[in-house]
Amino acid sequence: MYKGKDSHGIMGKNGEINFGKLNRQIDNAITADKRYWTENDAKIRAVSNKVSSYDEFCDIVKASHLKPLEKGDRISDMKAFTQPWNSLARHDHSETSSSGVAMASTSAISSISHFTRAWRCCKSSRERYDLLVIKLSSCTIERIFRTEIGGGVLGDIISVLAEEFQEEHADAIVTLLMTLSRCGRFTLSLQFLSDGERDRLRRLLDDLHDNTPEVGQLKQLYES
């Protein structure tokens, strides 16, 4: 029987070691250690890649624990799925501006967090469409999502483009979609689109094909 000081709370009332509690503490310590080194590697990688802002640095570290799907994994087998990393998801209205026009100048949008704030400031789907297609350049979009574009974010962007599609912007939308396809984790994010988002994607690609015949390469990227 152990009679030393129980500094870790693993002793039972009878003085015996509670091995179940001990194992849980060891597992928690191992998990914490793994997370520390994973985040540390992400920090080193972010510095090596010369990220454009501290916000982008934080985004990389926060996403470091995410793992890509294995070859045999199938998204369709999941009956219910939520996208916890969707930074564009609904938030409390107090976080949004009282006017969509009040959002920061697009020249100041240089990271995912900046884009998220501007997106939330938009009061309608049309304002978000204008932000994507008219106000932000493809170079800016690529810089914002260079590290990764989350599944929820990609789905929201596709939905807005499909719902507000205008023929005169067909070429700009093709350029935008091509740019997104070069962003980090694009293939993984594509797999996490919901059924409704996939339907809107097909409708958008059909609309683009009717107005921009050279959209074949885009269909290969998004329908593969």
Side-chain angles (χ1 to χ4, degrees):
M1 180 184 297
Y2 177 77
K3 296 183 179 180
K5 186 177 180 181
D6 184 17
S7 59
H8 298 286
I10 61 173
M11 303 298 297
K13 293 181 179 180
N14 59 0
E16 298 292 336
I17 295 176
N18 186 329
F19 287 100
K21 183 177 289 187
L22 178 61
N23 284 333
R24 286 193 296 273
Q25 290 186 5
I26 292 174
D27 288 341
N28 290 338
I30 292 174
T31 299
D33 186 67
K34 286 182 178 179
R35 188 177 185 89
Y36 170 82
W37 288 111
T38 297
E39 292 183 350
N40 188 65
D41 289 343
K43 292 175 183 178
I44 295 174
R45 187 167 62 252
V47 173
S48 298
N49 291 337
K50 298 180 180 178
V51 294
S52 59
S53 68
Y54 179 71
D55 287 329
E56 187 175 349
F57 173 86
C58 291
D59 289 335
I60 293 175
V61 176
K62 290 176 182 177
S64 61
H65 68 284
L66 298 177
K67 295 181 179 180
L69 296 179
E70 299 296 333
K71 185 175 181 180
D73 292 337
R74 295 176 57 190
I75 300 302
S76 58
D77 291 339
M78 299 181 183
K79 294 183 179 180
F81 177 75
T82 57
Q83 294 142 347
W85 66 85
N86 180 3
S87 57
L88 305 186
R90 273 185 236 137
H91 285 66
D92 188 270
H93 291 299
S94 62
E95 294 185 15
T96 62
S97 167
S98 60
S99 170
V101 182
M103 69 175 151
S105 169
T106 53
S107 62
I109 301 177
S110 59
S111 68
I112 293 176
S113 60
H114 294 159
F115 177 83
T116 301
R117 284 195 290 271
W119 184 270
R120 293 176 192 162
C121 283
C122 296
K123 299 178 67 176
S124 66
S125 179
R126 180 54 190 273
E127 286 187 2
R128 288 172 176 169
Y129 176 88
D130 289 345
L131 176 67
L132 291 168
V133 178
I134 299 174
K135 296 179 179 179
L136 294 178
S137 68
S138 59
C139 291
T140 299
I141 291 290
E142 187 165 12
R143 183 170 64 250
I144 291 171
F145 298 111
R146 177 179 58 187
T147 304
E148 71 168 327
I149 178 166
V153 177
L154 181 61
D156 284 349
I157 289 176
I158 288 173
S159 295
V160 167
L161 294 177
E163 292 166 2
E164 303 296 335
F165 176 78
Q166 296 181 51
E167 293 182 8
E168 62 265 34
H169 297 144
D171 289 337
I173 292 175
V174 169
T175 300
L176 171 60
L177 292 176
M178 289 295 293
T179 298
L180 292 176
S181 73
R182 295 192 293 271
C183 294
R185 294 182 180 268
F186 166 76
T187 302
L188 178 62
S189 297
L190 196 62
Q191 295 180 62
F192 279 95
L193 294 180
S194 67
D195 291 339
E197 289 165 346
R198 290 183 185 279
D199 288 340
R200 288 187 282 275
L201 173 59
R202 283 189 288 269
R203 189 173 79 239
L204 176 61
L205 292 176
D206 288 341
D207 288 338
L208 289 172
H209 183 72
D210 292 339
N211 294 275
T212 312
E214 61 272 17
V215 77
Q217 183 182 359
L218 199 61
K219 283 196 169 189
Q220 290 181 352
L221 290 170
Y222 279 81
E223 293 184 341
S224 58

